[in-house]
Amino acid sequence: MKLLIVQKRTQSLEAILHKAKEKLQLLYKNVEFIIWNDPKMQITKADIAKIEPDLLLTWNLAGFEQSTLTGGLAYNLLDCKQIHLLTRENLRDENCLSRQLSIAMFFYCAGAEYFRRLQAEYPDIPYLKQLNGWSLENTPTAINGNADILYNVILEVAGICHIES
């Protein structure tokens, strides 16, 4: 399984990804995590297509500002399943959720109130689920908990989409 992760690297994110990858490697022998970390350049649809991931994983709508020539979301044209984690509210590009979204997109948001608001304001999100227990703290307990949550999200989407190792 090849996962492309689009998000600025932080120390806590690095730890979460490392722990989630360790757990995934117990089930998937060929797990490959590719982290797009070029602060000078935003990842493009062409970059993603070259990598050919099974799963694209983004945090807080990273890349949603990119559109096609006809005004659609560039992510709608990708040939991979997508997991979009929304761990903060009032995101800059949240209005993109009102546009047509691909059925290959799986959105997970932190917090019950945020989940209810997204359901009400953006009823056409193809798949929306709450991230139960996600923490914004940078403690070992929070990092371990978030890694477990991320692991379960990846397993859930891989199972729904029949992505194998």
Side-chain angles (χ1 to χ4, degrees), residues 137-154:
E137 294 179 17
N138 192 16
T139 64
T141 302
I143 289 169
N144 286 332
N146 289 347
D148 288 342
I149 292 167
L150 178 59
Y151 166 79
N152 288 321
V153 164
I154 293 169

Side-chain angles (χ1 to χ4, degrees), residues 45 65-77 99-100:
K45 179 189 168 297
E65 70 282 353
Q66 299 177 63
S67 61
T68 66
L69 293 175
T70 58
L73 292 174
Y75 281 169
N76 283 341
L77 303 177
R99 295 162 71 185
Q100 182 179 3

Side-chain angles (χ1 to χ4, degrees), residues 18-147:
H18 177 75
K19 290 178 183 305
K21 181 180 179 181
E22 283 179 344
K23 291 183 77 165
L24 282 168
Q25 286 175 325
L26 298 174
L27 290 177
Y28 294 91
K29 299 303 176 206
N30 296 316
V31 172
E32 185 178 356
F33 273 46
I34 301 163
I35 301 173
W36 185 267
N37 190 33
D38 187 342
K40 298 176 189 167
M41 194 169 93
Q42 179 91 21
I43 195 166
T44 65
K45 179 189 168 297
D47 295 323
I48 296 168
K50 286 178 195 170
I51 294 169
E52 298 180 329
D54 297 304
L55 283 171
L56 172 68
L57 176 63
T58 73
W59 262 264
N60 298 320
L61 301 174
F64 269 76
E65 70 282 353
Q66 299 177 63
S67 61
T68 66
L69 293 175
T70 58
L73 292 174
Y75 281 169
N76 283 341
L77 303 177
L78 295 175
D79 187 23
C80 63
K81 304 305 181 202
Q82 303 167 43
I83 300 171
H84 302 289
L85 302 178
L86 310 175
T87 60
R88 293 184 285 116
E89 293 191 45
N90 303 314
L91 298 168
R92 183 187 66 189
D93 294 313
E94 190 176 291
N95 64 336
C96 290
L97 298 175
S98 65
R99 295 162 71 185
Q100 182 179 3
L101 301 169
S102 169
I103 61 170
M105 294 180 176
F106 296 81
F107 291 87
Y108 291 81
C109 68
E113 285 184 39
Y114 190 31
F115 174 75
R116 284 190 291 278
R117 185 175 68 77
L118 289 175
Q119 276 187 316
E121 290 183 30
Y122 308 106
D124 294 328
I125 293 176
Y127 185 94
L128 176 64
K129 204 165 180 184
Q130 185 178 330
L131 287 171
N132 292 316
W134 190 270
S135 175
L136 295 176
E137 294 179 17
N138 192 16
T139 64
T141 302
I143 289 169
N144 286 332
N146 289 347

